[in-house]
Amino acid sequence: MLKKSQKTYTPTEKDLEKKWFLVDVKGKTLGKVATKIANILRGKDKVHFTPQFDCGDYVVVINAKEIRLASNKLDTKLYRWHTQHPAGLRERTAREVLARNPDRVLYDAVWGMLPRNKLRKHMMTKLRIFPTAEHEHVSQSPKPLEL
């Protein structure tokens, strides 16, 4: 318990050190990978975690088009959106979305696992997804992270 003279430490932006991580999702399950990435983006693995600050690190994901979905979700999971026109409800299966835009599946999964507040969009800017093994963040020298 804190005494009256003690203060609670709250980190500032200068105190937080942002790191870069490289994640290879080839053959990994979508849900398990998305939860780990969401925790890294939010900063829950750090000692200085505070929910009102963006304490998380940068994540570079490679081989996104070779991600695996559990059981038969490739054909049963639907991605729906509306075009804002009459009768404009559209839907595609996960297999079709992976074929057209492979990074969208992982992006939507991580987006849904972050808290619904003003920081979510800022946290998602630190996620970089590439469909193949080549990426443009070599100069940041991301550390490989095994999930």
Side-chain angles (χ1 to χ4, degrees), residues 48-99:
H48 299 301
F49 170 71
T50 49
Q52 69 267 23
F53 288 125
D54 181 20
C55 307
D57 296 319
Y58 291 88
V59 179
V60 178
V61 179
I62 57 173
N63 292 324
K65 77 174 156 186
E66 298 178 28
I67 198 163
R68 196 171 59 88
L69 273 74
S71 75
N72 59 349
K73 286 186 185 175
L74 274 175
D75 298 317
T76 58
K77 183 171 177 59
L78 295 176
Y79 290 87
R80 292 188 176 113
W81 70 96
H82 202 281
T83 62
Q84 302 302 318
H85 292 285
L89 183 65
R90 304 285 186 249
E91 62 182 32
R92 288 200 179 108
T93 63
R95 186 182 304 274
E96 294 170 346
V97 174
L98 268 174

Side-chain angles (χ1 to χ4, degrees), residues 25-129:
V25 296
K26 185 175 186 177
K28 304 266 175 52
T29 308
L30 174 67
K32 292 179 181 181
V33 168
T35 54
K36 301 281 179 147
I37 290 173
N39 282 340
I40 293 169
L41 288 175
R42 190 156 183 223
K44 291 202 71 157
D45 56 340
K46 292 189 172 188
V47 177
H48 299 301
F49 170 71
T50 49
Q52 69 267 23
F53 288 125
D54 181 20
C55 307
D57 296 319
Y58 291 88
V59 179
V60 178
V61 179
I62 57 173
N63 292 324
K65 77 174 156 186
E66 298 178 28
I67 198 163
R68 196 171 59 88
L69 273 74
S71 75
N72 59 349
K73 286 186 185 175
L74 274 175
D75 298 317
T76 58
K77 183 171 177 59
L78 295 176
Y79 290 87
R80 292 188 176 113
W81 70 96
H82 202 281
T83 62
Q84 302 302 318
H85 292 285
L89 183 65
R90 304 285 186 249
E91 62 182 32
R92 288 200 179 108
T93 63
R95 186 182 304 274
E96 294 170 346
V97 174
L98 268 174
R100 282 178 180 240
N101 196 359
D103 58 336
R104 194 77 210 163
V105 175
L106 184 61
Y107 185 90
D108 286 348
V110 173
W111 173 265
M113 292 182 184
L114 290 175
R116 281 98 175 136
N117 58 21
K118 293 181 179 182
L119 285 176
R120 175 159 69 164
K121 194 179 290 186
H122 184 67
M123 288 181 214
M124 288 300 289
T125 59
K126 297 183 300 184
L127 176 65
R128 315 293 163 85
I129 303 173

